[in-house]
Amino acid sequence: MADTSDELKSELMRNIAPQDAAELDVAETREWLDSLDYVLQSGGPVKVARLLRELTVHARQNGVKLPFTANTPYINTIPADDQSLMPGSPDVERRIKSLVRWNAAAMVVRANKAEEGIGGHISTFASAATLYEVGFNHFFKGHGDGAGGDGDIIFFQGHAAPGIYARAYLEGRIDESHLENFRRETRPGGGLSSYPHPWLMPNFWEYPTVSMGLGPITAIYQARFMRYLEDRGLKPKSNAKVWAFLGDGETDEPEALGAITLPAREKLDNLIFVINCNLQRLDGPVRGNGQIIQELEAAFRGAGWNVIKALWGREWDPLLAKDRDGLLVKRMGEIVDGQYQKYAVSDGAYVREHFWGVDPRLLDMVKHLSDDQLKKLSLGGHDPIKVYNAYKAAMEHTGAPTVILARTIKGYGLGEAGEGKNITHQQKKMNEEELRAFRTRFGIPIADADIAKTPFYRPAEDSVEVKYIRDRRQALGGYVPSRKTRSEPLASVPADVFEEFYKGTEGRKASTTMVFVRMLSKLLRDKEIGRLVVPIVPDEARTFGMEALFRAVGIYSHAGQLYEPVDMDTLLYYKEASDGQILEEGITEAGSMSSFIAAGTAYAAHGVNTIPFFVFYSMFGFQRIGDLIWAAADARTRGFLLGGTSGRTTLAGEGLQHQDGNSHLLAYPVPNLVSYDPAFAYEIAIIIQDGIRRMYIDQESIFYYLTIMNEQYAMPAMPEGSRDGILKGLYRFRAAAKADAPLRAQLFGSGAILLEVIKAAEILESTYNVSADVWSVTSYSELYRDGHACERWNMLHPGETPRAPYIAQCLKDAPGVFVAASDYLKALPDSIDRWLPRPILTLGTDGFGRSESRADLREFFEVDYRWVIVATLAALARDGKIEASVVQQAMKTLDVNSEKANPATS
Ligand SMILES: Cc1ncc(C[n+]2csc(CCOP(=O)(O)OP(=O)(O)O)c2C)c(N)n1
Ligand SMILES: [Mg+2]
């Protein structure tokens, strides 16, 4: 993209006759520019801006078509004249930065010497060192000692982790043995994690970022959540910022840019993005044939952000000052990124010939510079003064978020080992010569003889550098990153909220969704924890019958409500308020999940025990935003995920894309997620009550997933003694009428399918003389985990009394056949089969969903009571307990077609 003035000129040229074009010569342009200079000197920039605006309007009124451009020229946003001086000692800071660079590179090189393939990245941090160091020395606010946690929240670019560790080493927070154990995460005491992972380093990293795109979107919602806490009076107002460091290649991820209109709309001036524009990603240039910086500038300016470009280092300032005719600015703006990369790896002579050589006037501008000096003209992102001023401007900007587009070179300083080369992202090794060159370039006091060992280097405790680092961090509120639980545990879980649900609905029909919403409303009203509850919903509140909450607690909007809602005269009007409690995120599951992460980690980041309840259309949860759920797990997020309208056959209508028979299986891999498929009100009450206890009193790093449904039925009272079983994943809901009957069955059901199973049990008893126990399986995954934990223990403890999994304890003496029916994949019941005394026959909903009525869907997927009966009889026949003819007859009676197509594959 060319710069604005250039585009404007060429467009103007196109709009006028050729003979006029010839007349619009250099002298005329000069005259215009001189006049503008005069106005600038006499009236200042504001007057110039007004004049230009009026000129534009005038031109448009006279039919001149002005092209739209969201770009500014390819130069620094902050002119050299407007720069502030940098406080502190540039010299000491440069030495510190060099040491960080060295140790960061050394830890990666050593990790790859010790063992092939341990990996690590040198070049990302090499390009970003100045961006981080200026932050560490002057801006990043630590959380301090206070319990409140009012420091900045910083999302570090995942691949820059070695640099962050190297700094922590200089700070004295970690020692050589830690650096030695970079990426050796299983070592005793725990090595340094490959990337930012709070799960692995819970006292250090705050937020995971390495799955690209998740850092930016979670940072955006974090900044908004900080405002939410302040607006609702849960946290004092502060000047804390959210910093998100990301790569330019990373911006191709839809999550990275997908939410950038929100912070502008919400005027989140507490948010600062720093995009390290080294113009390269993993394989090669981000935009070889274009300019990623200009592309990002247009996107962010269009979205309403304050954009600060820091493209050129200080050596360019005098050259730009001489650029009276805009030749240099024009040249800067016409080079594509692939070519800029070529300049970065070439010598000064090449740059002189190819960049400057296109015009003798340009060549003239640099005739006083040697090839070596030309080569060393630095870039904005490597110049502390430019970076400092960009950050300062970002800190001072009000009313909008800021993005800093800092130009750097990938692998800066690596020289032959990879600087600017396409292979640089994966460079993990440096030979002795390359190390020596790197050492010399950054003045690291390591002797030639020692270079081969790639020693770490930390100056003495009383050295100028270490003292400087310590002083700076102390002045800024302590070390970053640093994570800890900053909230006190909750004192208790309100018991009365849950009381009514144990009794059931006494015949009245309700869905589990209605039950949950009622429970949520009661929690919101609770005087102890009500204000901590954060309902989050992505434009589905009405789907779940939550609209009554709009009026009751309000929808959060920093601006309040600037309009008269159309339904103002109704009881349940759409109420927005600056102290509203609901986060109604609009149609963004990714954004809502990011809010969930912010709210569910506030106990650490902000010292506030917010309890998020994120209710979503279950098919658009795990299936769509599974990686954000994984990140939530890593971040030790607490709270409840609620998959609404769940179940493959429970959601009538909608069909293939909406019916969720998958999510419970997709929840299996998340190690600290506790998942339930409850059927009844009391099950939900027990689970949520215990969940709040485990997460907010016992401070366990777990979170919950519950599916809730919209099929309505009478909620029974809680059977005596079922509490433990509900939580462990299985309890007997109904005992067989005749325990000593010759034909026996154990039937498993969960969620809404439990009702089909209960009905089947009744018919089996009344019509087929089969006495059946009915078990509510609230969580296959909990049973599965417990089963494997016992199995593993037994394997490792031969000769000792084996441990029996909970499910085996419950069913070891259970007579008869085992049949399970689930609204999810058959893999769920199959996953616990081995701990039963006899194999289980499984009914489940493998396959693509269909839009149909509930009854037809259950017939189609073979999970209704008729199929449960047939399956039970078939299992009894298989075991020789009844004749095959009984099953055949039942199939006839129940209209079960043996030649029906298999729904799993149709
Ligand atoms: C979602 C996701 N996809 C792919 C990767 C693998 N990956 C790691 S770094 C990288 C390139 C990063 O380029 P950029 O964002 O420009 O960062 P730089 O290292 O250049 O600063 C890729 C593709 C990842 N970490 N996450
Ligand atoms: Mg990059």
Side-chain angles (χ1 to χ4, degrees), residues 641-662:
L641 298 172
L642 293 121
T645 61
S646 78
R648 184 100 69 203
T649 68
T650 304
L651 176 64
E654 298 301 343
L656 183 152
Q657 185 64 70
H658 289 70
Q659 286 159 345
D660 172 23
N662 310 345

Side-chain angles (χ1 to χ4, degrees), residues 478-493:
Y479 296 117
V480 289
S482 140
R483 183 190 179 283
K484 69 173 181 186
T485 299
R486 297 185 169 88
S487 65
E488 289 298 314
L490 285 185
S492 63
V493 188

Side-chain angles (χ1 to χ4, degrees), residues 204-273:
F204 193 86
W205 295 114
E206 291 193 282
Y207 290 101
T209 50
V210 78
S211 179
M212 305 207 141
L214 303 194
I217 192 169
T218 43
I220 285 174
Y221 284 85
Q222 176 64 244
R224 212 272 307 256
F225 191 72
M226 275 165 67
R227 279 286 152 72
Y228 172 92
L229 289 177
E230 291 172 5
D231 285 346
R232 290 198 48 228
L234 290 167
K235 209 185 165 207
K237 286 206 184 328
S238 83
N239 289 324
K241 303 280 178 194
V242 175
W243 300 78
F245 285 81
L246 47 147
D248 47 359
E250 182 173 7
T251 61
D252 279 338
E253 290 287 358
E255 291 90 345
L257 299 192
I260 61 170
T261 53
L262 174 121
R265 193 164 62 239
E266 299 270 324
K267 302 188 172 49
L268 297 180
D269 47 24
N270 59 346
L271 177 64
I272 301 170
F273 269 23

Side-chain angles (χ1 to χ4, degrees), residues 600-849:
T601 53
Y603 69 91
H606 304 291
V608 184
N609 278 317
T610 36
I611 310 172
F613 287 84
F614 170 26
V615 196
F616 51 91
Y617 219 116
S618 64
M619 196 57 161
F620 306 125
F622 284 82
Q623 183 130 321
R624 179 154 186 144
I625 50 156
D627 201 22
L628 274 162
I629 295 175
W630 188 252
D634 185 352
R636 297 169 175 265
T637 307
R638 296 173 185 165
F640 296 90
L641 298 172
L642 293 121
T645 61
S646 78
R648 184 100 69 203
T649 68
T650 304
L651 176 64
E654 298 301 343
L656 183 152
Q657 185 64 70
H658 289 70
Q659 286 159 345
D660 172 23
N662 310 345
S663 65
H664 274 293
L665 191 64
L666 299 178
Y668 264 53
V670 186
N672 52 345
L673 180 67
V674 190
S675 307
Y676 291 99
D677 181 13
F680 299 133
Y682 62 82
E683 294 180 354
I684 299 179
I686 294 285
I687 292 162
I688 291 186
Q689 189 177 8
D690 195 60
I692 296 176
R693 178 192 64 78
R694 286 182 65 184
M695 292 185 287
Y696 293 93
I697 296 180
D698 295 357
Q699 312 255 327
E700 287 189 57
S701 289
I702 54 173
F703 62 133
Y704 280 72
Y705 177 52
L706 274 74
T707 40
I708 48 176
M709 285 121 348
N710 52 3
E711 183 175 357
Q712 298 188 16
Y713 42 84
M715 295 289 158
M718 182 161 129
E720 193 97 353
S722 54
R723 185 182 179 280
D724 263 16
I726 292 170
L727 295 173
K728 286 182 172 157
L730 168 122
Y731 68 96
R732 187 160 60 184
F733 174 74
R734 172 193 187 278
K738 281 185 260 157
D740 56 352
L743 298 178
R744 290 296 318 267
Q746 307 298 326
L747 305 184
F748 290 6
S750 345
I753 296 297
L754 180 56
L755 287 191
E756 300 285 345
V757 173
I758 294 168
K759 186 168 173 186
E762 284 161 1
I763 299 173
L764 278 165
E765 265 176 13
S766 61
T767 311
Y768 297 94
N769 287 325
V770 181
S771 254
D773 290 294
V774 175
W775 300 80
S776 173
V777 186
T778 50
S779 178
Y780 280 107
S781 60
E782 286 300 289
L783 297 175
Y784 169 87
R785 286 171 182 175
D786 170 66
H788 272 294
C790 290
E791 202 164 285
R792 175 179 176 277
W793 190 91
N794 295 342
M795 177 184 82
L796 295 171
H797 298 84
E800 294 184 46
T801 315
R803 290 181 179 170
Y806 169 71
I807 183 168
Q809 289 173 36
C810 292
L811 293 153
K812 65 177 190 311
D813 300 323
V817 295
F818 288 83
V819 174
S822 164
D823 219 6
Y824 295 83
L825 299 184
K826 292 176 183 173
L828 295 181
D830 288 351
S831 73
I832 50 103
D833 177 74
R834 66 209 294 167
W835 299 295
L836 297 174
R838 290 172 296 286
I840 199 165
L841 205 114
T842 301
L843 303 175
T845 59
D846 301 45
F848 283 121

Side-chain angles (χ1 to χ4, degrees), residues 9 41 90 166 251 354 397 493 535 541 564 744 794 815 839 855 861 868:
K9 270 185 240 160
Q41 274 157 22
T251 61
H354 294 270
H397 190 79
V493 188
E564 185 183 339
R744 290 296 318 267
N794 295 342
F861 280 104
V868 177

Side-chain angles (χ1 to χ4, degrees), residues 465-604:
E465 291 86 354
V466 170
K467 273 165 65 189
Y468 190 91
I469 286 178
R470 290 240 163 103
D471 287 351
R472 291 309 306 145
R473 287 316 315 163
Q474 203 182 355
L476 286 161
Y479 296 117
V480 289
S482 140
R483 183 190 179 283
K484 69 173 181 186
T485 299
R486 297 185 169 88
S487 65
E488 289 298 314
L490 285 185
S492 63
V493 188
D496 52 334
V497 167
F498 302 97
E499 224 45 73
E500 73 167 81
F501 302 100
Y502 305 144
K503 295 200 299 276
T505 50
E506 290 161 346
R508 271 175 295 109
K509 288 185 171 182
S511 67
T512 46
T513 302
M514 290 158 72
V515 167
F516 162 72
V517 172
R518 182 163 170 80
M519 210 176 294
L520 182 64
S521 317
K522 292 188 83 173
L523 278 169
L524 282 162
R525 284 199 299 270
D526 182 80
K527 56 182 186 325
E528 295 301 323
I529 66 166
R531 53 203 280 279
L532 298 173
V533 173
V534 183
I536 304 169
V537 64
D539 201 35
E540 287 299 347
R542 292 182 200 281
T543 312
F544 306 127
M546 290 170 66
E547 62 270 37
L549 297 181
F550 290 165
R551 172 69 201 283
V553 294
I555 293 164
Y556 172 69
S557 162
H558 181 65
Q561 191 152 37
L562 307 175
Y563 60 97
E564 185 183 339
V566 285
D567 48 4
M568 187 74 168
D569 52 349
T570 67
L571 211 58
L572 307 177
Y573 77 93
Y574 196 85
K575 179 183 163 194
E576 300 196 57
S578 58
D579 62 350
Q581 200 160 349
I582 301 172
L583 290 171
E584 156 53 276
E585 300 293 16
I587 312 168
T588 167
E589 283 75 14
S592 306
M593 191 62 205
S594 301
S595 276
F596 180 80
I597 294 173
T601 53
Y603 69 91

